Amino acid sequence: LNAKGDRKGALDWFKKACQCGGCRTNTRISYAYLLLKEGRVEESESILTGLAALKDLTEQERISVKSNIALLLWRKGDLDGAIRLEREVYDVYKNSTVYGTLGYFLIQKGDLESALKFNLEAYDFNSTDKIILDNLGQNYYLIGNIDKAEEIYGELFKLEPRFPECYYTYGKVLLARGDKEGAVHSMRKALTHSFSFLSTATREEIEKTIKEIEDDVERDDEERE
C-alpha cells in the first residue's frame, strides 16, 4: 500500500474502534489526528472538542489533546492561538514532538531570532530528531546563515528523512548558493514523498518553484548563446 492507502486503512480501523463502546481516549486522539492529516477538519475538531471537555482525562491525555488542538488551530489560520496552546503544553511537558511543533510555529510567527533561540534549545534537547533539525535548518536559512543551514541539513540527511519539506527547503539553500541544478534535484526529491493536510509545503508550491528555477536556467542559457 502507498501512504494514502495506509492512512485510509487506518482511518477505517479507528472509525470502527471509536464506534464501539469503551473506546480508549488515546485511540480517539489518534483518530482525530489522522482525520486532521486528511484535511477532515470538522470531524477532527468535533472529537477533540469533546475530549477537551472531559473531566477525567489523565495529565498525559490532556496534554495530547491540547497539542492536537494547537495543530487544528494552526491549520484553521489561528497561529497565535496555536502558539499559546503549545506553549502551555511546553510549560508542563517537554518532548521532541512539542519542541518540533512549537519550533515550527515560532518560525511561522516571523520573529526569527526568538525562533532560533528556541530551536537551538530544541536541538540541545534532541539533536537527532528530524523535525527539530529541519526547523533549525530552515530557521538558519531564513536569517541568511546559509553555512549553518547547510551544516544542519547535512546532519539531517544522514538520518534519511521521509518528509518533503526538508528537501524543499534544502533546495532553497542550494539556490541561495547559486546551485540551480542542485536546487531542482532536491526539490524533485521532495515530490517523491507523501504530502498531507499537515504538510508545511504543498506539492503545487514546490512544482511552481521548480518551474521558476528551470525558466531562469533556460533564460540564462539563451543569454549565453
Side-chain angles (χ1 to χ4, degrees), residues 117-155:
K117 182 178 178 182
F118 182 85
N119 284 316
L120 285 169
E121 178 187 323
Y123 181 79
D124 286 341
F125 181 83
N126 185 350
S127 63
T128 60
D129 182 84
K130 296 170 188 176
I131 300 299
I132 287 173
L133 285 166
D134 186 37
N135 285 343
L136 185 56
Q138 182 182 16
N139 209 151
Y140 275 129
Y141 163 73
L142 289 171
I143 64 172
N145 192 335
I146 304 303
D147 288 343
K148 288 298 292 184
E150 275 196 305
E151 178 185 323
I152 294 300
Y153 278 110
E155 294 180 31

Side-chain angles (χ1 to χ4, degrees), residues 2 14 32 36 60 94 140 151 155 186 189 225:
N2 60 25
F14 277 119
L36 187 56
Q60 191 60 49
K94 296 173 178 62
Y140 275 129
E151 178 185 323
E155 294 180 31
S186 187
K189 189 167 184 178
E225 290 176 356

Side-chain angles (χ1 to χ4, degrees), residues 84-140:
R84 176 182 56 78
L85 268 189
E86 200 64 17
R87 277 201 181 280
E88 288 177 9
V89 171
Y90 167 79
D91 287 342
V92 298
Y93 180 75
K94 296 173 178 62
N95 70 2
S96 297
T97 301
V98 172
Y99 269 113
T101 301
L102 185 52
Y104 178 76
F105 288 167
L106 293 174
I107 290 172
Q108 290 298 295
K109 183 65 179 172
D111 185 347
L112 295 176
E113 292 300 333
S114 294
L116 181 60
K117 182 178 178 182
F118 182 85
N119 284 316
L120 285 169
E121 178 187 323
Y123 181 79
D124 286 341
F125 181 83
N126 185 350
S127 63
T128 60
D129 182 84
K130 296 170 188 176
I131 300 299
I132 287 173
L133 285 166
D134 186 37
N135 285 343
L136 185 56
Q138 182 182 16
N139 209 151
Y140 275 129

Side-chain angles (χ1 to χ4, degrees), residues 23 34 74 203 207:
C23 178
L34 204 53
W74 163 59
R203 180 176 294 277
E207 288 173 341

